């Protein structure tokens, strides 16, 4: 059985699409670095090293938008694009995981 078809991405400028892609790159790396998530230090170290380059690319995407006169972020459109690209799940890895039910408060 095929998975359900994803909704189409909203219409984005090339710069907006670049912004979304670079933002998700940074989110993915922060999720790998998150000390509240299981994993090894080497994986976190590699993600932290890559973060510098990805943050620079994110800055460059925003700078390009600004230079082109795209001075306003259309939050609802960009949020729809993030949802289509699984941004909610990917961003959830950056936050603290829920506390286990059986742990003392």
């Amino acid at each position: 059985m095929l998975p359900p078809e994803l909704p189409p991405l909203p219409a984005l400028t090339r710069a907006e699409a670049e912004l979304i892609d670079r933002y998700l790159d940074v989110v993915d790396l922060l999720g790998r670095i998150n000390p509240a998530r299981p994993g090894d230090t080497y994986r976190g170290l590699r993600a932290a090293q890559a973060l510098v380059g990805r943050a620079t690319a994110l800055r460059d995407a925003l700078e390009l938008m600004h230079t082109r006169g795209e001075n306003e972020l259309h939050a609802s459109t960009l949020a729809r694009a993030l949802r289509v690209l699984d941004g909610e799940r990917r961003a959830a890895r950056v936050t603290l995981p829920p506390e286990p039910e059986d742990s003392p408060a």
Side-chain angles (χ1 to χ4, degrees):
M1 177 181 231
L2 295 174
E5 191 172 319
L6 292 173
L9 275 172
L12 301 173
T13 66
R14 185 173 296 170
E16 286 174 328
E18 184 72 13
L19 169 65
I20 292 293
D21 288 342
R22 299 302 66 88
Y23 174 78
L24 288 173
D25 286 345
V26 168
V27 165
D28 289 340
L29 289 171
L30 287 173
R32 288 173 42 195
I33 297 167
N34 187 346
R37 298 278 176 186
D40 57 63
T41 56
Y42 185 71
R43 185 179 75 175
L45 172 63
R46 297 291 299 190
Q49 290 169 335
L51 185 58
V52 175
R54 296 302 194 280
T56 300
L58 176 59
R59 181 206 60 205
D60 293 346
L62 284 163
E63 187 175 25
L64 179 62
M65 286 180 71
H66 183 73
T67 301
R68 289 183 177 177
E70 296 179 48
N71 297 322
E72 185 178 338
L73 293 176
H74 301 282
S76 61
T77 302
L78 296 173
R80 277 196 333 250
L82 286 168
R83 284 187 184 94
V84 170
L85 296 171
D86 204 19
E88 287 176 310
R89 180 191 61 80
R90 293 161 77 174
R93 295 184 60 212
V94 176
T95 63
L96 287 173
E99 195 166 335
E101 303 255 341
D102 59 345
S103 69

